Amino acid sequence: MDLTLGGFHHLTAITANAPGNLDFYTRVLGLRLVKKTVNQDDTTAYHLFYGDGAATPGSDITFFDWPAAPARRGTHSVTRTGFRVDPASIGWWRDHLAAAGVKMTEPNETTGRLSLAFEDPEGQRLVLVADERIGARHPWEKSTVPPEHQILGLGPITMSVPALGPTEQVLTRVMNMQKLRDYPVSAISSNSVHVFSMGEGGPSAELHVAVEPDLPVAREGAGGVHHVAFRTPDHEGLTAWTERVRGFRMPSSGEVERYYFRSLYFREPGGVLFEIATDVPGFTADEPLETLGEHLSLPPFLEPRRASIESRLQPL
């Protein structure tokens, strides 16, 4: 079986302010709340999924709602999440984010792509990246952002490790990624970022690995990232990945049923939690596309506890 990852499936981060998080990602970024559910391992916390109008795999940034202290930045972590936009939209986004009082830098070119780095109110580090290979668009008709400027999906994701070698071995030998190029972390740093590509490549399928041995170890918290997930088409593909990871003697979760997708979790040597998730069945498994995210959705095994779960969640 051809084990080629299709790019990013989703990225899951942490918020300590679910109402504020909902406001920023829907009102300011114009994303659609495509699933309002709970953390299946901690049902006192929301799990909020934001994506494009069709809830396309590869468009989702998701959040666990935990009363956590702010994250401490450092290595052994995902450090910035990319979103793809039309190249002609970067200027519009600069003006839009400025009007919303968002902390950001000026647009600049990184490895040949125009980008705009910014932060959400909790310090979550994000970047808009111009994507020449736009592909299919799935705009949300109720978005605050005009259709031509809406976020197309996840873009390059950057992680930090203290040493490249062990992580590179997993990315290339286990996960079948290709190493493409490298570039400096910044104009004043001697550290480098190494670019690895999946599937058909392009911004939607690039993992950027910064090697930063001089940084402290990150501490998980609000404004930080919990894990990054990669795409496999179906359950057969996930089973093949499970066997492959086991064959390399890497500890893993084994297959986990998340109802909207099935997953495999493992940590790469730099300490970042990886997930491989199926594209199927998707978020329309329990509610129609037209009304995604409007009500609290629970997987069947949690449905009998709905009243108890709802009573412990704050209103959004």
Side-chain angles (χ1 to χ4, degrees):
M1 182 175 183
D2 178 27
L3 286 181
T4 302
L5 295 168
F8 298 109
H9 186 280
H10 65 270
L11 177 133
T12 295
I14 299 169
T15 179
N17 178 9
N21 182 268
L22 177 65
D23 178 74
F24 181 82
Y25 284 88
T26 58
R27 182 181 60 83
V28 178
L29 296 192
L31 294 170
R32 182 182 186 184
L33 180 64
V34 296
K35 187 64 62 176
K36 179 168 65 173
T37 185
V38 294
N39 183 317
Q40 294 179 13
D41 303 312
D42 174 12
T43 60
T44 65
Y46 280 113
H47 192 180
L48 305 176
F49 292 75
Y50 306 100
D52 65 12
T56 310
S59 72
D60 302 325
I61 184 169
T62 92
F63 287 87
F64 295 145
D65 165 40
W66 285 332
R72 181 178 66 197
R73 295 180 177 182
T75 192
H76 298 286
S77 67
V78 172
T79 56
R80 193 171 295 275
T81 302
F83 293 116
R84 297 177 294 111
V85 296
D86 189 305
S89 296
I90 292 289
W92 183 92
W93 275 102
R94 177 195 57 209
D95 296 342
H96 175 70
L97 293 177
V102 174
K103 181 180 179 181
M104 63 178 173
T105 64
E106 281 299 307
N108 66 86
E109 191 170 287
T110 303
T111 66
R113 300 188 188 113
L114 192 62
S115 63
L116 176 63
F118 64 104
E119 296 182 8
D120 80 0
E122 294 180 287
Q124 188 72 233
R125 288 172 284 180
L126 308 166
V127 62
L128 297 170
V129 177
D131 187 359
E132 300 283 352
R133 299 169 17 171
I134 294 172
R137 294 177 185 262
H138 302 283
W140 181 35
E141 61 180 12
K142 297 179 182 178
S143 176
T144 57
V145 175
E148 66 273 19
H149 297 309
Q150 286 183 30
I151 289 169
L152 302 169
L154 290 174
I157 289 173
T158 303
M159 55 183 273
S160 174
V161 296
L164 180 63
T167 295
E168 181 175 5
Q169 288 293 305
V170 169
L171 298 182
T172 57
R173 293 185 61 215
V174 181
M175 301 178 72
N176 294 325
M177 296 189 193
Q178 292 184 319
K179 188 176 180 181
L180 297 183
R181 61 188 183 276
D182 57 69
Y183 61 93
V185 168
S186 71
I188 60 173
S189 174
S190 60
N191 294 329
S192 295
V193 181
H194 303 263
V195 180
F196 296 84
S197 180
M198 299 165 272
E200 298 180 357
S204 66
E206 284 184 2
L207 182 66
H208 292 213
V209 181
V211 181
E212 300 175 297
D214 47 331
L215 291 185
V217 176
R219 183 186 63 215
E220 189 173 271
V225 170
H226 187 268
H227 67 267
V228 57
F230 306 91
R231 292 176 65 183
T232 192
D234 50 32
H235 296 162
E236 181 182 5
L238 186 68
T239 297
W241 277 110
T242 302
E243 293 172 354
R244 183 172 180 82
V245 168
R246 184 184 300 120
F248 278 89
R249 300 184 182 277
M250 294 182 63
S252 78
S253 64
E255 293 186 31
V256 180
E257 179 58 68
R258 295 301 189 192
Y259 187 58
Y260 308 110
F261 43 85
R262 190 175 292 177
S263 300
L264 171 73
Y265 300 87
F266 59 95
R267 288 194 185 274
E268 56 80 36
V272 176
L273 182 60
F274 283 175
E275 174 184 356
I276 299 177
T278 61
D279 286 351
V280 294
F283 294 124
T284 56
D286 60 353
E287 55 183 346
L289 180 64
E290 294 74 23
T291 58
L292 286 180
E294 294 182 8
H295 306 283
L296 181 68
S297 294
L298 297 176
F301 76 92
L302 290 178
E303 190 60 46
R305 297 167 52 194
R306 174 175 287 273
S308 173
I309 290 171
E310 288 185 333
S311 70
R312 291 181 291 173
L313 296 172
Q314 62 179 315
L316 288 181

